Amino acid sequence: MHVGFIGLGVMGQPMALRLATAGTPLTVWNRTPARAEPLRAAGAEVAADAAEVFAKSDTVLLMLADETAVDAVLARHTPDFAARVAGRTVVHMGTTSAEYSRALESEVRAAGGHYVEAPVSGSRVPAEQGLLVALLAGEEAAVSAVRPLLAPMCRQAFVCGAAPNALLMKLAVNLFLITQVTGLTEAFHFAGRHGLDPALFLDVLDAGPMASAVSRMKAPKLLAGDFSVQAAALDVLKNNRLIAEAARARGLASPLLDACHALFEETVALGHGGADMVAVLRAIEERTEARTLKARTAGAQAEG
């Protein structure tokens, strides 16, 4: 099976490199050509455009930022769409709304193609290490054919049933991730502002029952003030919006998510959208400074 891979961003590039180094026959393309050069060096063929990837591939993996990018690559809503997907398996690995995926699956199948949802849980470092967790949904035969392809990238794969269940599962997982990292960051801020040794605080946390792979990945970044991206704040905000929309569609309350949503909106507005999600610390600090200033102003007015 010849495989295509489109979308070589923060996650896509290391994922595609895992496939290439595992010997998967691979054709890749990215809107920014420089992102494809490490793949060329690893033995993958670099296509001139997305159409060439489809022409040379039986299965095409899409790791793209949003619905607009997916539509553009598939030439959706144009006469070229059917020619690209007919007889091929389209594997949607990015994070979009469940409604979008449901409609896309219907169109791909109507055009004579197969469709699999395969969003992954994990950030850049697990992608580099081949330790992502894949969530699969779609036609049983197509899912069974795609699952072995993911082995170089993913340590586990879970079949979630029909689409869009994989994306809904991803949103549920991300809800926990977003609230967990935001809680860790707020606790770090709380400890520091009370004069506690931040390194000691993180050691105590790591020794207790609340330690996790996530806390062990994010704690050193907080301690060092290292906001180099693993999962970008702007992407977290996008995910937050998708989860909120899915919750509202079912009439669900999401109080913790809503609080995080506001904080990540502030993080992005402060100019940290391209930084790692622990940059939510900057929004928390900004709120603290605003509260402190308000208290001082009120005190000065009272004295006056």
Side-chain angles (χ1 to χ4, degrees):
M1 183 185 295
H2 198 99
V3 179
F5 198 110
I6 299 177
L8 304 174
V10 171
M11 293 289 291
Q13 187 189 72
M15 290 167 67
L17 279 168
R18 296 286 307 183
L19 289 174
T21 55
T24 305
L26 194 64
T27 301
V28 304
W29 181 77
N30 192 71
R31 184 176 58 181
T32 305
R35 298 289 299 177
E37 289 310 308
L39 273 300
R40 192 193 305 275
E45 181 179 358
V46 178
D49 54 28
E52 184 181 349
V53 176
F54 282 93
K56 293 183 174 180
S57 306
D58 306 299
T59 298
V60 180
L61 311 182
L62 306 179
M63 190 62 182
L64 296 163
D66 53 31
E67 297 166 8
T68 300
V70 174
D71 286 348
V73 160
L74 291 173
R76 197 173 175 209
H77 310 308
T78 78
D80 294 330
F81 174 75
R84 290 197 185 181
V85 305
R88 297 178 180 83
T89 300
V90 176
V91 184
H92 176 30
M93 302 192 76
T95 305
T96 61
S97 72
E99 291 76 14
Y100 172 85
S101 182
R102 185 184 287 113
L104 181 58
E105 178 189 37
S106 178
E107 292 181 27
V108 169
R109 294 179 67 176
H114 302 284
Y115 181 83
V116 175
E117 283 181 352
V120 293
S121 180
S123 57
R124 179 179 57 81
V125 173
E128 292 171 344
Q129 297 171 344
L131 297 177
L132 297 171
V133 175
L135 309 170
L136 299 168
E139 306 164 77
E140 185 175 347
V143 168
S144 296
V146 166
R147 189 172 185 173
L149 294 177
L150 307 182
M153 302 180 289
C154 304
R155 62 182 175 86
Q156 282 187 280
F158 294 91
V159 178
C160 301
N165 281 358
L167 273 167
L168 289 169
M169 186 70 77
K170 172 71 183 294
L171 295 181
V173 168
N174 278 2
L175 195 162
F176 180 50
L177 172 66
I178 291 167
T179 55
Q180 181 185 29
V181 173
T182 305
L184 170 64
T185 304
E186 184 175 332
F188 179 83
H189 176 72
F190 176 91
R193 291 302 176 105
H194 279 84
L196 301 177
D197 180 347
L200 179 60
F201 161 70
L202 294 174
D203 285 344
V204 171
L205 179 67
D206 195 51
M210 291 171 292
S212 68
V214 170
S215 67
R216 287 170 178 152
M217 183 178 295
K218 297 303 184 185
K221 294 180 73 63
L222 285 167
L223 188 61
D226 171 18
F227 295 162
S228 59
V229 67
Q230 292 172 341
L234 187 60
D235 289 336
V236 172
L237 178 59
K238 182 197 84 167
N239 276 266
N240 206 314
R241 287 173 176 157
L242 289 172
I243 300 165
E245 289 167 3
R248 301 299 172 263
R250 284 297 182 96
L252 305 178
S254 54
L256 292 178
L257 180 74
D258 295 344
C260 294
H261 196 157
L263 284 167
F264 277 96
E265 283 186 329
E266 293 164 27
T267 303
V268 171
L270 288 167
H272 303 294
D276 190 72
M277 65 188 299
V278 293
V280 72
L281 177 65
R282 297 302 183 227
I284 296 170
E285 290 172 337
E286 188 79 6
R287 288 195 185 191
T288 292
E289 298 307 322
R291 185 180 291 266
T292 300
L293 179 60
K294 184 177 180 180
R296 286 174 180 168
T297 301
Q301 290 174 343
E303 290 176 4

